[in-house]
Amino acid sequence: MAIVEVKVPQLSESVAEGTLLTWKKKPGEAVAIDEILVEIETDKVVLEVPAPSAGVMAQLVKNDGESVVSEEVIARIDSEGATQVSPLEVKAVADVPAAPAAAAAPASTSKSDVAMPAAAKLLADNQLGVADVAGTGKDGRVTKGDVLAAVAGGAAAAKAAVPAPVAVPVAAKAALPAVAAPVQQKLGDRPEQRVPMSRLRARIAERLLQSQASNAILTTFNEVNMAPLMEMRKRFQDKFEKEHGVKLGFMSFFVKAAVAALKKYPVLNASVDGNDIVYHGYFDIGIAVGSPRGLVVPVIRNADQLSFADIEKTIAQFGQKAKEGKLSIDELTGGTFSISNGGTFGSMLSTPIINPPQSAILGVHATKDRAVVENGQVVVRPINYLAMSYDHRIIDGREAVLGLVAMKDALEDPSRLLFDI
């Protein structure tokens, strides 16, 4: 028998611990190498834990819903084990109650002293009795996984543990939810549900409160006539998609316009570190993306060096990964400036909250036809309201307003972006 330990992957320095979601394998079940055994939720991403070896799941050291840290052992695999006990073997034991499990085990009429056939052989091979191992099978029967756990941890330790293996009996799993489930109170026609926050939601709440408490947040607004941009997009979107294999959206223009403004007003791209202002000589733009788990902000690295097609492809990949919960910690770390597009959901106006330690964020909203005045005439134009929140500790109103105007100018005349003016 060769035991292989399953460990928690190395987490980022900014991630202290994670939470085990639902185990996909139980003790005694066959495991294929690289098969996903469980997922670990952190405050940023969900990590998949693959099997480091093929074999049989011997022991679950950590249960569903428990907290874990980097490199912690969460399970053990018997790399030389056979497949799980067949239903026929289970039925054979169930039909012969109070039968001795092995010659080495004392006779007993209690079901808790019965070992499964595969477990009985292991008991004999390791010179253990049924009484030396705490059973977690039906009615307390000793399973192969129980014996493997006892051998791995020492027979004495396994006997003293309550219970020795951490694997939860099937009956207990049916009664206890994998991760704290919603608690619904029956209050007649006024029901309530109490749902614990996920790690991601708790982290979002913590960072938003941190931002509000530590930054002197002020928001400036402006409106953009999107007609020139919409016309350009309409002219080139078919050719763009054929050439690059991705649709031409508006976000790439917002990213490019933001980078252009940040170059002109570097303090918008800076951050505060104690009593110092850190000016970043690169442009890593965070894009707020909604996911089933909550809001995440993956980062487009070196956005100033990317083409429109590169930006659109990156954003599309982020959206898909967020939907599947596949964003990596590296993709969610860092960023010097963020863009939040509430217009996707129909928002007309909002005041976005800064993503610490950044000092500014751009809020984009839904483009709607509105009556505006041009050359003394009331005309209808597709208008988008932009909002930029900034940290007034280091960014004065002048830089904030002029920075937003620079974004407005670039969007209303997209040719500026081609000539960097």
Side-chain angles (χ1 to χ4, degrees), residues 112-298:
S112 62
D113 290 335
V114 175
M116 308 294 273
K121 184 178 185 304
L122 279 177
L123 286 170
D125 291 343
N126 291 277
Q127 298 181 345
L128 293 174
V130 177
D132 295 326
V133 179
T136 62
K138 185 178 181 181
D139 297 323
R141 290 185 173 90
V142 176
T143 67
K144 182 179 178 181
D146 298 334
V147 181
L148 292 173
V151 172
K159 178 66 177 176
V162 187
V166 190
V168 181
V170 174
K173 284 190 176 181
L176 298 176
V179 179
V183 177
Q184 185 165 353
Q185 302 178 13
K186 294 183 178 179
L187 303 174
D189 60 348
R190 293 164 60 83
E192 291 182 352
Q193 254 189 339
R194 186 179 295 272
V195 183
M197 287 187 184
S198 66
R199 282 188 177 273
L200 176 62
R201 175 54 57 190
R203 180 60 171 164
I204 292 172
E206 177 187 342
R207 288 180 64 83
L208 292 178
L209 288 174
Q210 174 193 349
S211 180
Q212 295 278 41
S214 61
N215 296 327
I217 301 178
L218 192 61
T219 306
T220 183
F221 303 91
N222 216 317
E223 62 181 18
V224 176
N225 177 8
M226 297 288 286
L229 181 55
M230 294 172 70
E231 182 182 351
M232 174 181 282
R233 177 174 176 265
K234 184 177 180 180
R235 283 177 57 197
F236 295 107
Q237 61 182 350
D238 291 339
K239 291 181 180 179
F240 184 91
E241 186 172 0
K242 282 184 179 180
E243 182 70 24
H244 301 289
V246 64
K247 291 183 178 180
L248 178 60
F250 291 116
M251 280 305 296
S252 55
F253 289 95
F254 287 120
V255 171
K256 285 289 189 180
V259 169
L262 299 182
K263 287 181 177 180
K264 291 181 179 180
Y265 305 98
V267 72
L268 301 179
N269 197 46
S271 59
V272 177
D273 184 10
N275 290 324
D276 298 330
I277 301 175
V278 181
Y279 289 90
H280 304 292
Y282 49 89
F283 303 89
D284 291 350
I285 309 299
I287 303 296
V289 177
S291 75
R293 297 176 58 241
L295 181 70
V296 291
V297 188

Side-chain angles (χ1 to χ4, degrees), residues 370-391:
R370 308 186 192 283
V372 296
V373 178
E374 289 184 0
N375 301 319
Q377 300 293 321
V378 176
V379 295
V380 176
R381 295 287 184 262
I383 299 297
N384 192 308
Y385 293 133
L386 300 183
M388 188 171 72
S389 295
Y390 58 98
D391 187 352

Side-chain angles (χ1 to χ4, degrees), residues 26-38:
K26 300 175 184 177
E29 291 186 342
V31 173
I33 189 169
D34 291 333
E35 182 178 6
I36 301 303
L37 301 178
V38 70

